[in-house]
Amino acid sequence: MAHSDPPSSDTGFRPIPPQPPPVTVVGPVRWVRDNLLSSPLNIALTALGLYLLWLVVPPLIDWGILTADFVGSSRDDCTSGGACWVFIATRLDFFVYGFYPDAERWRVDVMFAMLAGFLVPQFLPGVSARVRKWLGIFGLTVYPVISGVLLLGGVFGLEAVETGKWGGLMLTLVLSYVGIVAALPIGILLALGRRSHMPIIRTICVLFIELWRGVPLISVLFMASVMLPLFLPEGVNFDKLLRALIGIVMFQSAYMAEVIRGGLQGLPKGQYEAASALGLGYWRATGLIILPQALKMVIPGIVNTFIALFKDTTLVLIIGLFDILGTVQASIVDPAWGRVAIEGYIFAAFCFWVFCFGMSRYSQGLEKKLHTGH
Amino acid sequence: MTDIQSLQDPEGLVTGHELSHQVGAEVMIQITDMNKWFGSFHVLRDINLTVHKGERIVVCGPSGSGKSTMIRCINRLEEHQTGSIVVDGIELTDDVKKIDMIRREVGMVFQHFNLFPHLTVLENCVLSPIWVRKEPRRQAEERAMALLERVKIPEQAKKFPGQLSGGQQQRVAIARALCMQPKLMLFDEPTSALDPEMIKEVLDVMVQLAESGMTMVCVTHEMGFAKTVADRVVFMDGGQVVEQAPPSTFFTNPTSERTRLFLSQILKH
């Protein structure tokens, strides 16, 4: 900017050149002093914290790694008294594929590979924006269709695999991916509809949002799996997974709508006015000006909803679908393995954490990238 | 009101101000008996205003007098309830098509710039030409660069609005409005949100625009600008047009007592 230029010498004003800060203001020593040892109370708290860590961490490492068993095929291989990771290793196929037939599991692998194929580049530095964009578009449009065909089968010579056999991590990903990809656009439309000047559209959107937001997800799933078939005519039968999916999408899109409405309301009125004054109609103004800014503003809220959705998919357990937690839970009661509940739950928790943390990191990166200095 | 009506003769208005130019006989804006309410608050009362092609109008008045609301009615950012507004031969009604037609011909500059912060300066400028006028991108960008040149900030084209100073942002906003090649420019207090140092750079651009023959309606408190550039000064108070006169008459010999009081207050310093 022109204002940072030093003024011409004839004004007699000489700006002082910037100096490096004194060493005590920066660096790790300063950090430790500021954050850990700034007062007697903080010194005591730091000591207490270290003591607690010493109590907890070494035994955990000992149990989970040092004395744990990793190789083997049955309970008998878990002899050293630590964690029995053998259990996870031998059951891993079940945790990942559920009851999906052995011979057809390559189809699930292809789905996983494609998912990794367009997700991983979003995190890598050297990938150009254009490539990322097209991979993203692929992931949101083509990918769900290909995956659906691949997993369901019944066409192109692929053997049909009924959804009752889907399970494990694969089911968790299907539920949450469809939930995320469908809930966002529906949520956007609901949020726009709720702010519409047209009373009928507004009323419909308000009713929809308040209805779905006002009931627990469990009851939605129950309704979808138990009550809905009662109202359908004889012979008409929806797939159970499809019913659960619709329930999840409706439920989450209502939440999403309210998050996005927050962003729409947070935009200054001037943005709407400037777009109108330039002759952009409603849809162009919304698509080019309003939504890009509103969505950017509520990225934390959107990702929060995504993460909640991802974890809420575990509730399908109550309607007899086995997501990753369901498969773990079904396995830990196997008497042949004895007490492996802790290992099972840690594994399930770790799987959830990896995906949720990934989403969180991605959103932080996105926020930083989209920040344009205002 | 009667003596105000007599002042609306455009022939009498052109004489005696500093930037001589041609005011056409063609009417650009015709506001007739226009009234507007915000809820039950009667914000604009019996507004009558005629603006000819090439004319430069400065609207002034105390805050809350309805001047911003009035010019925002001209491109339908605010809806009027009674009376009529005809812009470039098109009457403003609920018809969305007509509103869009008028907005395409009317550029607007806001007090708070209202640039789109997620787009670069250049993208701000070409957005509407590309999406509304369906111009090829290259052509829109060439014109945008020429206009950024004219407002003296071509080097900022790739930056985001948030990286610019207020004065620079307002000049971009002017360039953005001009990119639609409007027949009429509305300015809603364009310098009120600026630091004193930056007011001049924006006013310079506006003076230059006036010299090019653009029809302009400016709500502003910059009386210096009014004196040098305006063909007519419109003074509003309490939602009414109290007086309109060429600046030479307006500043030296206003007819209304209310105008005199206003002028004495703002010109005291």
Side-chain angles (χ1 to χ4, degrees):
Chain A
M1 248 186 278
H3 303 281
S4 59
D5 293 338
S8 55
S9 53
D10 53 297
T11 59
F13 169 71
R14 295 272 187 288
I16 300 165
Q19 307 282 335
V23 276
T24 48
V25 180
V26 288
V29 176
R30 179 70 187 184
W31 186 89
V32 167
R33 226 192 279 169
D34 272 0
N35 293 287
L36 301 178
L37 309 169
S38 58
S39 71
L41 177 66
N42 279 353
I43 292 172
L45 286 174
T46 301
L48 183 68
L50 287 175
Y51 176 67
L52 288 176
L53 283 178
W54 182 73
L55 277 187
V56 173
V57 175
L60 209 57
I61 291 173
D62 184 54
W63 175 83
I65 298 169
L66 299 179
T67 62
D69 292 291
F70 294 92
V71 268
S73 57
S74 72
R75 176 80 231 179
D76 303 332
D77 296 310
C78 292
T79 49
S80 48
C84 184
W85 299 122
V86 179
F87 165 69
I88 304 295
T90 52
R91 287 297 186 122
L92 195 59
D93 276 359
F94 181 50
F95 295 157
V96 172
Y97 305 100
F99 305 101
Y100 212 84
D102 279 347
E104 305 297 329
R105 287 185 179 172
W106 62 270
R107 282 147 64 171
V108 181
D109 292 336
V110 172
M111 180 196 85
F112 285 147
M114 282 196 292
L115 185 68
F118 68 81
L119 279 187
V120 172
Q122 311 284 344
F123 290 87
L124 297 177
V127 184
S128 77
R130 178 180 289 263
V131 172
R132 280 183 203 203
K133 191 177 113 191
W134 282 107
L135 284 175
I137 291 172
F138 168 81
L140 293 175
T141 54
V142 185
Y143 173 68
V145 179
I146 297 182
S147 300
V149 171
L150 205 58
L151 294 179
L152 280 168
V155 283
F156 307 124
L158 292 169
E159 191 192 321
V161 178
E162 53 169 315
T163 55
K165 289 187 175 164
W166 298 16
L169 179 64
M170 163 228 170
L171 182 66
T172 299
L173 288 182
V174 167
L175 286 168
S176 42
Y177 198 83
V178 174
I180 286 171
V181 171
L184 187 61
I186 297 176
I188 290 173
L189 289 178
L190 285 171
L192 292 172
R194 194 170 183 165
R195 287 170 57 83
S196 167
H197 295 295
M198 287 176 265
I200 296 177
I201 291 181
R202 191 175 56 230
T203 312
I204 291 174
C205 291
V206 170
L207 285 177
F208 183 97
I209 292 170
E210 297 304 340
L211 175 79
W212 288 100
R213 219 160 48 123
V215 290
L217 182 57
I218 291 192
S219 67
V220 172
L221 291 172
F222 258 130
M223 296 261 245
S225 86
V226 182
M227 286 182 62
L228 194 64
L230 297 179
F231 296 114
L232 292 173
E234 197 89 19
V236 175
N237 195 22
F238 265 100
D239 186 83
K240 194 186 347 185
L241 177 64
L242 184 63
R243 278 180 276 149
L245 267 178
I246 292 173
I248 289 176
V249 168
M250 298 288 120
F251 184 85
Q252 299 294 352
S253 51
Y255 272 92
M256 193 57 79
E258 289 298 279
V259 170
I260 291 164
R261 193 165 66 95
L264 293 174
Q265 275 171 345
L267 266 198
K269 202 166 143 238
Q271 293 290 309
Y272 290 89
E273 288 178 351
S276 300
L278 283 169
L280 295 164
Y282 175 80
W283 288 108
R284 284 196 196 116
T286 303
L288 297 167
I289 308 299
I290 306 304
L291 279 181
Q293 295 185 66
L295 292 179
K296 187 181 91 182
M297 245 194 287
V298 293
I299 285 173
I302 291 176
V303 174
N304 203 23
T305 310
F306 283 168
I307 288 177
L309 184 154
F310 189 79
K311 293 184 294 184
D312 281 351
T313 57
T314 52
L315 292 172
V316 296
L317 184 65
I318 60 152
I319 58 167
L321 294 171
F322 286 84
D323 76 318
I324 186 165
L325 187 64
T327 53
V328 167
Q329 214 147 7
S331 301
I332 55 178
V333 294
D334 184 349
W337 281 95
R339 296 173 54 181
V340 286
I342 296 176
E343 289 87 338
Y345 285 132
I346 287 179
F347 170 74
F350 179 73
C351 289
F352 279 102
W353 180 81
V354 166
F355 282 97
C356 294
F357 185 66
M359 284 193 256
S360 166
R361 296 302 303 182
Y362 178 66
S363 82
Q364 280 170 26
L366 204 58
E367 278 174 56
K368 215 174 279 174
K369 199 177 79 187
L370 295 177
H371 185 73
T372 54
H374 63 277
Chain B
M1 287 297 281
T2 43
D3 52 352
I4 295 163
Q5 307 282 308
S6 67
L7 282 166
Q8 283 189 347
D9 171 25
E11 299 307 312
L13 296 174
V14 195
T15 51
H17 72 93
E18 297 171 33
L19 284 168
S20 69
H21 72 122
Q22 219 55 59
V23 171
E26 200 182 319
V27 174
M28 186 57 91
I29 308 171
Q30 177 76 58
I31 302 178
T32 317
D33 297 330
M34 190 256 281
N35 282 277
K36 172 168 180 60
W37 288 262
F38 281 132
S40 59
F41 177 58
H42 197 171
V43 57
L44 293 177
R45 307 175 191 186
D46 291 333
I47 303 286
N48 283 289
L49 184 72
T50 308
V51 179
H52 291 81
K53 192 162 192 262
E55 224 181 340
R56 283 98 56 142
I57 308 289
V58 162
V59 183
C60 62
S63 67
S65 59
K67 32 188 208 311
S68 283
T69 310
M70 185 191 74
I71 76 159
R72 286 158 60 85
C73 283
I74 295 172
N75 66 352
R76 197 70 166 187
L77 286 182
E78 301 288 353
E79 211 175 302
H80 63 281
Q81 273 87 38
T82 66
S84 75
I85 302 176
V86 179
V87 182
D88 197 26
I90 306 168
E91 179 167 4
L92 270 173
T93 58
D94 285 331
D95 188 344
V96 180
K97 278 215 180 90
K98 284 187 180 168
I99 295 173
D100 282 345
M101 272 164 74
I102 289 174
R103 284 177 177 165
R104 244 173 272 173
E105 307 301 336
V106 179
M108 183 148 195
V109 176
F110 299 87
Q111 181 179 2
H112 296 286
F113 332 135
N114 296 352
L115 294 176
F116 306 129
H118 63 301
L119 300 175
T120 64
V121 164
L122 188 62
E123 286 166 344
N124 263 279
C125 291
V126 300
L127 185 84
S128 204
I130 289 175
W131 287 92
V132 179
R133 284 208 187 275
K134 311 282 181 207
E135 277 178 33
R137 174 172 286 270
R138 176 180 293 267
Q139 185 191 327
E141 283 183 352
E142 274 169 16
R143 173 146 23 79
M145 284 312 295
L147 284 165
L148 287 174
E149 200 94 44
R150 214 169 118 188
V151 300
K152 302 182 185 74
I153 33 175
E155 72 283 0
Q156 313 283 3
K158 298 283 179 226
K159 285 194 186 165
F160 286 101
Q163 297 164 304
L164 270 52
S165 72
Q168 290 172 322
Q169 289 194 48
Q170 194 61 298
R171 285 184 283 152
V172 172
I174 294 172
R176 178 176 73 174
L178 291 176
C179 276
M180 283 292 278
Q181 298 176 295
K183 294 181 178 167
L184 162 68
M185 285 285 284
L186 305 175
F187 292 83
D188 187 2
E189 305 203 23
T191 56
S192 300
L194 296 175
D195 290 341
E197 276 183 283
M198 298 170 184
I199 290 177
K200 188 178 174 297
E201 62 188 52
V202 171
L203 287 179
D204 285 348
V205 168
M206 290 171 64
V207 169
Q208 184 201 355
L209 186 63
E211 283 167 348
S212 75
M214 176 64 77
T215 313
M216 295 163 72
V217 180
C218 313
V219 172
T220 183
H221 300 292
E222 297 297 330
M223 289 304 135
F225 177 79
K227 278 179 192 163
T228 53
V229 174
D231 294 307
R232 194 176 358 143
V233 181
V234 174
F235 174 66
M236 290 182 70
D237 190 26
Q240 302 178 41
V241 174
V242 176
E243 177 158 3
Q244 38 182 325
S248 51
T249 327
F250 182 84
F251 288 107
T252 53
N253 193 16
T255 46
S256 142
E257 192 52 43
R258 181 68 192 89
T259 313
R260 233 166 261 160
L261 181 67
F262 175 74
L263 287 175
S264 74
Q265 274 166 346
I266 59 164
L267 298 177
K268 218 181 279 174
H269 312 288

